[in-house]
Amino acid sequence: GQSLEQPSEVTAVEGAIVQINCTYQTSGFYGLSWYQQHDGGAPTFLSYNALDGLEETGRFSSFLSRSDSYGYLLLQELQMKDSASYFCAVRARPRNRDDKIIFGKGTRLHILP
Amino acid sequence: GAVVSQHPSWVICKSGTSVKIECRSLDFQATTMFWYRQFPKQSLMLMATSNEGSKATYEQGVEKDKFLINHASLTLSTLTVTSAHPEDSSFYICSAGGQSQNGYTFGSGTRLTVV
C-alpha cells in the first residue's frame, strides 16, 4: 500500500520561512504533489515534482528526492493568509491498478503575527 | 485552467434517504475521476476511482453498494450515498485531471449532513 508521513502541526511567524517535510512509501511512484486547504474549502493545487530537485513558484517551492522518498514544501515571506492545512500527495500507479493520488494526513500551519 | 464543478455544495438529508452528488469537468474530458471523503480535521481518504464506461474501483473498506458511482460520460461522474446514516456525514470531494504532469483539479466539495 501507500503511506505518507508529514508533521501534524507547524507554527511560524509572519514574514518568516517554513519548511514542511513529507516522506512516503509507495509502489509505482509518479510524483509528489502539494495541496493547500483552508477550513471549509476544497484543496487547491500548489506544486508537483516528478523529478528530483527544486521547483519554484513564487513564494512557494517544492523539493523531491526520489532516492530518499522524501520531499518538502518551502513557504517564504509568510503571510497570515497562508494559515491553512498543507497536504503532500503521492501520484502512483500500483501494479494492475489505476493511476491514483493518495494524501498524507496534512500539516496544519499556524502563523503568528 | 481545468475546472471541475461539483454540486450540490451542501445537503442535509434524513436517515435512510439517498443523496446524489455530481462532478463535472467543464473544459476537458476526464476518463478518470476520483472520489474522496474528508472528516473534520482529517485527511482526504480516497473512496473510489471512477472510470468512464466501466465499473468504479473501490478502495478497501468502502462499501460499493452503499456508495454508488456512475461515470456515464467523459465529463460527468456521480456519487450516490444510499440509505444514508448520520455517520455518513462528511465532506465529499471529487477530483479529475491528469491532463498534464501537474496536479489534479478538485471540485468545491459537498458537505453532507445526515439527520
Side-chain angles (χ1 to χ4, degrees):
Chain A
Q2 296 85 21
S3 68
L4 297 95
E5 295 290 333
Q6 58 181 122
S8 58
E9 287 188 278
V10 172
T11 300
V13 179
E14 190 177 13
I17 299 173
V18 71
Q19 177 174 313
I20 301 173
N21 298 319
C22 175
T23 57
Y24 60 87
Q25 283 188 313
T26 186
S27 58
F29 176 83
Y30 273 166
L32 187 71
S33 303
W34 288 92
Y35 291 82
Q36 179 192 62
Q37 186 180 32
H38 286 97
D39 288 344
T44 56
F45 170 76
L46 293 178
S47 68
Y48 177 76
N49 294 68
L51 302 175
D52 286 355
L54 189 68
E55 295 279 345
E56 298 181 64
T57 308
R59 294 188 297 115
F60 294 177
S61 302
S62 59
F63 172 83
L64 175 67
S65 168
R66 295 175 67 117
S67 60
D68 295 323
S69 297
Y70 162 76
Y72 66 72
L73 178 69
L74 189 73
L75 298 84
Q76 304 181 71
E77 300 174 19
L78 286 172
Q79 302 175 9
M80 296 304 293
K81 67 178 182 179
D82 297 329
S83 294
S85 291
Y86 292 84
F87 295 90
C88 60
V90 164
R91 180 177 176 181
R93 181 174 289 180
R95 183 180 298 181
N96 297 327
R97 296 296 300 274
D98 297 309
D99 196 24
K100 62 174 64 177
I101 297 211
I102 303 297
F103 284 78
K105 289 183 166 46
T107 299
R108 180 76 188 182
L109 175 61
H110 303 278
I111 299 178
L112 304 176
Chain B
V3 177
V4 174
S5 175
Q6 183 173 344
H7 293 281
S9 56
W10 61 271
V11 58
I12 301 173
C13 70
K14 292 184 178 180
S15 289
T17 61
S18 295
V19 174
K20 179 185 284 188
I21 302 170
E22 291 190 350
C23 185
R24 294 180 183 272
S25 56
L26 296 187
D27 49 4
F28 66 99
Q29 293 182 331
T31 54
T32 302
M33 289 188 179
F34 302 97
W35 287 95
Y36 293 86
R37 177 170 54 183
Q38 185 179 35
F39 292 107
K41 299 191 185 303
Q42 294 189 23
S43 185
L44 289 84
M45 299 302 297
L46 180 64
M47 299 175 66
T49 303
S50 165
N51 297 298
E52 187 268 337
S54 65
K55 291 183 179 180
T57 303
Y58 290 82
E59 295 299 304
Q60 192 172 5
V62 178
E63 300 175 58
K64 60 182 179 181
D65 294 331
K66 180 169 182 62
F67 298 99
L68 301 179
I69 291 174
N70 184 280
H71 194 159
S73 77
L74 287 172
T75 58
L76 174 64
S77 177
T78 61
L79 168 68
T80 301
V81 182
T82 63
S83 187
H85 291 284
E87 55 264 34
D88 298 325
S89 298
S90 185
F91 192 48
Y92 293 86
I93 311 173
C94 67
S95 173
Q99 301 300 302
S100 71
Q101 68 179 3
N102 291 329
Y104 285 68
T105 302
F106 284 82
S108 54
T110 298
R111 189 161 301 283
L112 170 64
T113 302
V114 184
V115 297

